[in-house]
Amino acid sequence: MQLHTIWFVIIAIFWTGFFVLEGFDFGVGMLHTIVGRTDIERRVALNTIGPWWDGNEVWLIVAGAGMFAAFPGWYATMFSALYLALVIVLAALMARGVAMEFKGKGDGARWRSTWMWCTTLGSLLVPLLLGVGLGDLLVGLPINSSHDFTGNFFDLLTPYGLWTGVTLLSLCLLHGSTFLKLRTTDQVRERARGVARPLGWAAIALVVGWVIWTRKVAGGPDVPQPVEVLALIAVIFAARLSSTEHDGWAFVSSAVAIAATVGSIFIDLYP
């Protein structure tokens, strides 16, 4: 195996690990106002990701650093083409991180509401925009012979990229609901169970559509690849198990669904 292939695999692992580990953080951030009706219940929900969220973001940093080290042309073209989207991603990450730390520093209702929305919107924008970017990589963007992006902002909003972003967003929501069921009790857990079922059905529909569309975009046989089949099976299991008492298996299934979905993108990108 050549060195550039090894680096490609390493970068794919970093991106997959980021979405798996940070995916439930994003899901909890988006759902904490739904499963929590009071400040205490919302704090209970956010406390489940308290030990993990900042460490899980390191996977994104290392993925970007790995691209810069091994494929500087890829890094330069991607980060310049997606510059505005990545600025929004960074702003969302910062707003989300600051909200985690600052929400409890004040007692006013407006203060808490502001940071609550920062957590929710930040957790929503990051997987959505990164998903759009990964989808754009596979479907292709207009660049010239010097690898300079020649399109405009609206060229980034490809239909396939948007579908990929929404698919990853739905998987993060399902992943977060299974994590909340696993880590909470009483009313918060019951509400997480309540939202997990419709989220599961939505995720199944989006993943099915994404797999069909990916086969058309990537070319080759119309039959789904093994990893794509794994994504379909895993999301179905996650949706089914999310309404049972098998919380651990539901969480594992949603993690596998995200890993297989992101992994499929990089498999189709190679070489």
Side-chain angles (χ1 to χ4, degrees):
M1 184 180 293
Q2 295 182 335
L3 183 60
H4 60 78
T5 301
I6 295 174
W7 265 109
F8 185 84
V9 172
I10 291 173
I11 290 169
I13 291 173
F14 283 143
W15 276 103
T16 303
F18 168 73
F19 272 98
V20 170
L21 294 176
E22 190 76 338
F24 65 82
D25 293 339
F26 293 141
V28 172
M30 287 183 281
L31 293 172
H32 81 284
T33 58
I34 297 175
V35 300
R37 304 289 174 79
T38 65
D39 284 338
I40 294 177
E41 289 178 345
R42 287 191 282 268
R43 175 53 58 186
V44 166
L46 290 178
N47 282 346
T48 63
I49 62 173
W52 322 108
W53 68 268
D54 52 349
N56 291 338
E57 288 181 357
V58 175
W59 287 77
L60 178 62
I61 298 171
V62 179
M67 292 171 63
F68 175 75
F71 304 103
W74 179 17
Y75 175 93
T77 303
M78 178 180 175
F79 276 65
S80 60
L82 303 177
Y83 183 79
L84 179 58
L86 291 173
V87 168
I88 298 174
V89 167
L90 290 176
L93 287 171
M94 289 187 289
R96 180 171 165 268
V98 171
M100 294 285 190
E101 302 295 337
F102 276 52
K103 184 180 179 182
K105 304 298 184 181
D107 297 326
R110 185 175 181 179
W111 175 273
R112 294 193 300 270
S113 177
T114 298
W115 296 119
M116 179 187 71
W117 281 108
C118 285
T119 301
T120 303
L121 294 177
S123 299
L124 183 149
L125 287 172
V126 177
L128 175 64
L129 294 176
L130 290 179
V132 172
L134 291 177
D136 285 347
L137 284 181
L138 186 57
V139 75
L141 294 172
I143 62 174
N144 60 22
S145 59
S146 300
H147 294 180
D148 294 325
F149 178 64
T150 58
N152 54 47
F153 174 77
F154 295 101
D155 290 323
L156 303 177
L157 303 178
T158 62
Y160 175 76
L162 290 171
W163 190 278
T164 302
V166 174
T167 300
L168 288 175
L169 180 67
S170 71
L171 289 172
C172 288
L173 283 166
L174 178 60
H175 201 28
S177 66
T178 59
F179 185 75
L180 284 168
K181 282 184 76 252
L182 183 66
R183 298 283 292 179
T184 59
T185 59
D186 301 329
Q187 292 298 318
V188 175
R189 182 177 183 274
E190 290 305 311
R191 293 188 191 113
R193 182 206 292 268
V195 300
R197 187 174 182 84
L199 288 174
W201 283 110
I204 291 173
L206 287 165
V207 171
V208 169
W210 179 82
V211 169
I212 295 172
W213 203 339
T214 299
R215 296 316 327 137
K216 298 297 183 181
V217 168
D222 292 334
V223 179
Q225 300 300 312
V227 180
E228 294 168 344
V229 174
L230 178 61
L232 289 170
I233 294 173
V235 73
I236 292 171
F237 268 85
R240 176 65 183 89
L241 292 171
S242 64
S243 59
T244 69
E245 297 300 320
H246 301 291
D247 298 342
W249 285 112
F251 178 72
V252 170
S253 298
S254 60
V256 172
I258 293 180
T261 301
V262 178
S264 295
I265 296 174
F266 284 91
I267 291 172
D268 287 324
L269 278 173
Y270 183 82

